[in-house]
Amino acid sequence: MAPGGSAFKEVLELVAECDIATSKSENNIAPTKGTVILSGKHGVYSNNGVHELLECPVCTNLMYPPIHQCPNGHTLCSACKLRVHNCCPTCRYDLGNIRCLALEKVAESLELPCKYQSLGCLDVFPYYSKLKHEQHCRFRPYSCPYAGSECSVTGDIPALAAHLKDDHKVDMHDGCTFNHRYVKSNPHEVENATWMLTVFNCFGRQFCLHFEAFQLGMAPVYMAFLRFMGDDNEAKKFSYSLEVGGNGRKLVWQGIPRSIRDSHRKVRDSQDGLIIQRNLALYFSGGDRKELKLRVTGRVWKEE
């Protein structure tokens, strides 16, 4: 739908039917600057303000059905209707249960670019398909893979690699083979523990080596696994192996690194890695079995 003409007139009439005031003096809405609304690979820009009308005034997110309105025509999303205790945040009237069906209909006619357009996604979607796409868009930012704390930082892979090194003081290594030793005194007293993350630069990509202790049912175990700093379709191009042993015995694990799109907890809970029962880990450690001394070796290779 192009700006102007009968189609645009219909949009304005639909908005008017919903009793939504669009003047600056009544709703304090400033004129829109370059709102993206329609068609074309990169979207078409217009100043008609329809896109702005679809923004919830409370959370500023785009609104999806059911869109609610008060008797004076002020709209907000269903989540914020509960948040404001059924009181219009603009005029303080009771919201009741009035739906703005006209604005919902207007939204059906719109096509908008992905919110991650600035990160490289150039696709345009019907209004009601946009949200679903953005939840899985391959250009969406990654979450910090650090497992030692709940870190809220997001970004692209180079930014996260720098963040891990500078802010979390993670060990960064070059090479596709590794040999790490994990030591813990009084391991019988430890039910849950996470060792420092290690990041490897290999084949021009980054891999995160995790090692932690937790309860698997009633059994205390240790687990090592690798995550790939990138999407799942790229992770499947690689394989890795982990090996741990002692006293003439060894355990070997081979698998595909999981994408950091999957949280470390999700990978751990799926048991997708090298799992060592604590009694066996202490046997591998030798000595008096009062101290954990595990040496984990491994390598990463690229599948042809």
Side-chain angles (χ1 to χ4, degrees):
M1 181 178 65
S6 60
F8 180 52
K9 180 179 179 181
E10 181 183 353
V11 168
L12 290 183
E13 288 174 350
L14 285 169
V15 174
E17 288 172 10
C18 199
D19 296 325
I20 299 175
T22 59
S23 67
K24 182 178 179 181
S25 59
E26 184 170 343
N27 268 348
N28 295 320
I29 298 177
T32 317
K33 296 182 180 179
T35 302
V36 183
I37 59 166
L38 297 174
S39 67
K41 191 66 175 176
H42 301 284
V44 174
Y45 289 82
S46 173
N47 290 321
N48 62 36
V50 175
H51 178 270
E52 186 169 291
L53 289 174
L54 288 164
E55 289 184 355
C56 174
V58 178
C59 65
T60 71
N61 293 325
L62 292 176
M63 295 185 290
Y64 294 88
I67 298 175
H68 298 276
Q69 69 170 17
C70 76
N72 290 325
H74 304 121
T75 58
L76 78 166
C77 69
S78 56
C80 289
K81 181 175 184 286
L82 298 174
R83 194 176 303 160
V84 299
H85 306 293
N86 208 41
C87 177
C88 176
T90 303
C91 66
R92 303 303 176 185
Y93 271 71
D94 286 341
L95 287 167
N97 291 303
I98 308 172
R99 279 182 65 175
C100 189
L101 299 178
L103 189 56
E104 292 177 11
K105 188 69 175 178
V106 168
E108 288 182 3
S109 68
L110 299 182
E111 290 183 338
L112 300 173
C114 173
K115 67 186 290 187
Y116 304 119
Q117 185 182 50
S118 63
L119 299 178
C121 184
L122 300 180
D123 291 332
V124 175
F125 298 90
Y127 186 83
Y128 291 133
S129 301
K130 178 176 177 287
L131 187 62
K132 183 177 180 180
H133 159 78
E134 289 170 351
Q135 293 172 345
H136 303 283
C137 178
R138 66 188 182 93
F139 292 97
R140 71 192 189 279
Y142 295 89
S143 297
C144 174
Y146 190 74
S149 63
E150 295 298 326
C151 181
S152 60
V153 170
T154 62
D156 59 18
I157 298 303
L160 286 183
H163 164 68
L164 289 171
K165 180 181 178 181
D166 298 336
D167 298 329
H168 293 298
K169 310 303 179 186
V170 165
D171 291 331
M172 313 289 285
H173 296 278
D174 293 322
C176 298
T177 61
F178 46 90
N179 187 335
H180 272 258
R181 194 178 186 211
Y182 297 98
V183 179
K184 190 74 174 179
S185 59
N186 300 319
H188 289 285
E189 300 176 4
V190 178
E191 299 298 337
N192 293 279
T194 300
W195 276 256
M196 177 63 75
L197 182 71
T198 304
V199 175
F200 298 92
N201 296 306
C202 176
F203 298 107
R205 308 306 299 266
Q206 289 75 40
F207 299 82
C208 301
L209 175 62
H210 296 264
F211 187 80
E212 53 188 279
F214 64 100
Q215 290 283 128
L216 186 57
M218 298 298 293
V221 299
Y222 299 96
M223 182 175 176
F225 56 92
L226 214 63
R227 285 200 295 163
F228 173 75
M229 294 185 68
D231 275 343
D232 186 60
N233 61 330
E234 296 178 285
K236 291 176 180 177
K237 298 176 182 178
F238 300 92
S239 293
Y240 75 101
S241 65
L242 296 172
E243 181 178 312
V244 64
N247 290 327
R249 282 93 170 166
K250 68 179 179 181
L251 288 177
V252 179
W253 162 267
Q254 180 175 319
I256 297 171
R258 294 280 286 272
S259 165
I260 60 171
R261 295 287 191 198
D262 292 334
S263 69
H264 91 283
R265 184 178 294 276
K266 180 178 180 180
V267 179
R268 189 196 73 179
D269 291 347
S270 68
Q271 303 173 38
D272 192 4
L274 175 64
I275 298 177
I276 315 148
Q277 298 288 334
R278 184 164 69 187
N279 285 338
L280 183 58
L282 294 176
Y283 183 76
F284 287 158
S285 300
D288 56 9
R289 300 166 63 89
K290 293 183 179 179
E291 186 177 28
L292 178 73
K293 295 179 183 177
L294 279 184
R295 186 175 298 277
V296 177
T297 62
R299 69 184 184 96
V300 180
W301 64 93
K302 198 169 186 177
E303 296 291 350
E304 296 298 333

